[in-house]
Amino acid sequence: MELFREFFGCCPDALEEIKSLPLRWDEERFCFWLKQDFPFVEALYRFQVGLLREAPHPHRAPLVQALMATVEELDWLLSQGADPREPVHPVRQEYIALLQEMEGFPYPYRLVFFYFLNRLFLEAWNAHVEGDGPWQELAEHWSAPEFQAVLFDLEVIAQGQVEGLDPGVLEHYLARILEMEKKTWSLLL
């Protein structure tokens, strides 16, 4: 979490804006949001495969665990009715394009971006999701000790990559990831 706080100084109000969005948690809206998550998670899977392909040996185990969590999420989304052939919402298309753009960076940047993306999502999720509902199974998945351990490991290895990276590039892409998270969560307004 320290790495997240360190670089979050670039846009201090953005996460609070995401956390304070007046989301409507009705089942129909949530199901739409979930189904629209499938193409993004599929793109994230491809991003992770690229990371794993270049990962040094000590980074492989946490990245494999993160990849398995993504595969499980894709399977779960399909079981919830996601259809890979459905049209992709423009917000999801834009976020997928950002992932594809970030794939052009060297491994250390991509690893840090991947950590930020996961941490930001989890921060927003924890701020918004409470109580029973169709989201309960996902809430349990993302709050499980195993997933928290993967996120901790990602933070540790991302911290080891930050030195020597251009802080301006990191701040720029953190701001873009934050903006995409805000747009994604806004689909629940």
Side-chain angles (χ1 to χ4, degrees), residues 13-69:
D13 299 327
L15 182 58
E16 291 311 312
E17 288 176 24
I18 294 169
K19 288 179 173 182
S20 66
L21 288 170
L23 303 184
R24 292 183 287 163
W25 284 101
D26 62 71
E27 192 165 340
E28 183 179 333
R29 185 170 294 283
F30 182 71
C31 286
F32 167 78
W33 187 77
L34 273 183
K35 289 176 183 179
Q36 281 298 309
D37 199 32
F38 184 87
F40 172 76
V41 177
E42 180 69 29
L44 185 61
Y45 165 81
R46 295 178 196 293
F47 185 89
Q48 289 175 259
V49 167
L51 272 177
L52 188 56
R53 209 175 16 247
E54 294 183 42
H57 184 76
H59 295 187
R60 291 178 187 160
L63 288 172
V64 165
Q65 291 169 348
L67 186 63
M68 284 304 302

Side-chain angles (χ1 to χ4, degrees), residues 144-160:
E146 297 83 8
F147 186 76
Q148 296 301 313
V150 169
L151 197 57
F152 176 79
D153 289 345
L154 286 175
E155 180 175 357
V156 169
I157 62 176
Q159 283 176 332

